[in-house]
Amino acid sequence: MRDSRPTLLTGAAGVLGRWLRPRLIEAYGSVRSSDVVDPAPALPGEETSVVDLADFDAVEGIVKGAGRIIHFGGISYETSFDRILSSNILGTYNVFEAARRHGAGPIVYASSNHAIGFYTRDDRLDVRVPKRPDSLYGVSKAFGEDLASLFFDKYGVESACLRIGTARPDPIDPRHLSTWHSYDDLLRLIEACFAAPHLGCTVLYGVSNNDRSWWSNEGAPHVDYRPQDNAEDFAATLIPDGDTRDMAAPEVKYQGGPFVSDGYVKR
Ligand code: 15L
């Protein structure tokens, strides 16, 4: 899809944002990079700004005139409901509402595997399974997905909600053998979303081509995502004696791992 308007990236000062910025500039030309902490220094082809996503006027300022939006801003861990409410729930609403008002988009939204974290490691999930959030953070991502659905059905704002697994340079934990999403594959997924002729409102798993993946994107064939990396390459290092973890422990039994066990009360 050709769009000469600048691409907007929220969450630009985060680990993923910093990795993505030069690559997005290379792929799409000018990029507006914003974060609640200063994402400076700006790269050639980039404008940076400090924006609190809870402030609608400030969000409108960066969305107006933008084309593609990569909404990676917000809190990426479990914390108090007040913080989640302002950063993730109000913040995501503000991005979608500003996009609707100003004709910006499509939006690639960083949802999370924690929207479905209470499925067990024996479950195999497609993109249509009911959500089972494992944390208030996961609830905020489930909210974002529902908001994306509403904004497409009611207003035609196109989006992809990426249920990102574990995006990091290498897998470092046995759970990551299932959940790992390499940075290169994350970029491939974002590019595939923007290249789709009609994105509609699509849910996708952000995961590499892992032998032990729990998740399938087969239900979204209109997004031509072909992951190249496989966490299995790290299995011999991560579990040299096989998987010896306690399979009944909540952080092992459930897909959300430590987000499940945080505050978990055995019923
Ligand atoms: C997430 O959604 C978090 O933002 C990230 O820090 C990891 O914890 C990841 O999920 C994961 O599940 O490994």
Side-chain angles (χ1 to χ4, degrees), residues 22-33:
R23 289 150 180 101
L24 295 175
I25 293 167
E26 197 183 330
Y28 301 121
S30 66
V31 170
R32 291 179 182 171
S33 293

Side-chain angles (χ1 to χ4, degrees), residues 147 175 195:
L147 191 78
R175 173 174 170 269

Side-chain angles (χ1 to χ4, degrees), residues 182-193 224-229:
S182 73
Y183 286 174
D184 285 337
D185 281 341
L186 173 62
L187 181 63
R188 286 184 187 104
L189 180 55
I190 292 170
E191 291 183 341
C193 289
D224 186 19
Y225 169 51
R226 298 181 204 183
Q228 305 293 312
D229 297 315

Side-chain angles (χ1 to χ4, degrees), residues 16 36 51 92 111 124 127 138 143 156 176 234 246 250 256 264:
L16 297 180
V36 69
V51 166
T92 297
S111 181
R124 295 293 171 268
V127 296
F143 167 84
H176 300 167
F234 300 82
D246 172 5
Y264 182 80

Side-chain angles (χ1 to χ4, degrees), residues 76-77 111-114 137 164-167 175-176 179 255-256 259:
S76 60
Y77 49 85
S111 181
S112 167
N113 73 91
H114 298 291
Y137 164 72
I164 300 173
T166 305
R175 173 174 170 269
H176 300 167
T179 62
Q255 297 188 1
F259 284 63

Side-chain angles (χ1 to χ4, degrees), residues 241-257:
D241 304 317
D243 195 343
T244 56
R245 294 174 298 167
D246 172 5
M247 296 297 158
E251 65 275 18
V252 180
K253 178 175 178 184
Y254 296 103
Q255 297 188 1

Side-chain angles (χ1 to χ4, degrees), residues 14 17 34 36-37 66 69 73-74 82 84 122 129 140 144 151 200 209-210 219 229 231 250:
S34 90
V36 69
V37 298
I69 296 178
D82 281 356
I84 297 268
D122 295 327
V129 293
S140 76
F151 270 64
N209 189 31
N210 305 330
D229 297 315

